[in-house]
Amino acid sequence: MKKLILLLFCAFGMSAQNQVFNVQQYCVDQSPFKNGQCDISGNEYSFVFLNAKKKELVFFFTDIKLKYNIVAVSVSSSNPKVSSYTLQNKQGLVTMNLNQAKTKIEFLYPDKHIYLTVGNSTKR
């Protein structure tokens, strides 16, 4: 129980900082989902801007800008190395998973899953 509480404090403390994630590569798996399949992949400029203070996340995905409000952040006891963010915009809810090393990001939409490999992240 102490470890779980410590992990939550660490996750909350890390999420309180503004971060910019430089996407090195992306993979889009479209429905029907097949684990590890990339229907679309590439390495065009893509960025994820996470502002925990304002509870905002902006995802520049190739030529699309997606803006979300962060509704909730959680760390699963079954996989404490992944933080899950519940995001919301006009189109609905989306789940984003961010690994502890901040090198992998997943956006789980109902019709597609976007997997991002992230290079160096920066703090603003």
Side-chain angles (χ1 to χ4, degrees):
M1 185 66 176
K2 288 181 183 179
K3 288 183 181 180
L4 180 60
I5 293 171
L6 180 61
L7 282 171
L8 290 173
F9 277 114
C10 289
F12 185 77
M14 289 186 302
S15 67
Q17 301 172 12
N18 297 334
Q19 295 184 348
V20 179
F21 298 96
N22 180 14
V23 176
Q24 299 295 312
Q25 189 148 22
Y26 64 85
C27 166
V28 179
D29 183 9
Q30 296 177 330
S31 184
F33 302 121
K34 295 181 182 166
N35 193 14
Q37 177 180 333
C38 290
D39 295 314
I40 303 167
S41 63
N43 60 358
E44 289 100 10
Y45 266 145
S46 296
F47 294 94
V48 177
F49 295 90
L50 176 64
N51 187 332
K53 287 182 183 179
K54 292 184 179 179
K55 294 192 175 197
E56 293 178 343
L57 183 129
V58 179
F59 178 24
F60 288 95
F61 184 56
T62 62
D63 59 349
I64 302 168
K65 178 183 177 182
L66 303 164
K67 188 172 181 178
Y68 297 98
N69 292 320
I70 300 170
V71 177
V73 181
S74 62
V75 177
S76 171
S77 59
S78 63
N79 191 358
K81 293 185 177 185
V82 175
S83 296
S84 292
Y85 292 77
T86 303
L87 308 173
Q88 184 176 28
N89 66 6
K90 294 176 189 174
Q91 287 77 35
L93 293 174
V94 175
T95 300
M96 181 189 85
N97 296 324
L98 174 63
N99 72 345
Q100 188 177 30
K102 298 187 185 320
T103 57
K104 302 282 183 193
I105 300 175
E106 302 174 291
F107 284 89
L108 305 176
Y109 295 90
D111 61 336
K112 66 183 166 259
H113 293 170
I114 300 174
Y115 302 99
L116 307 174
T117 302
V118 178
N120 294 334
S121 65
T122 60
K123 297 175 189 166
R124 294 191 291 162

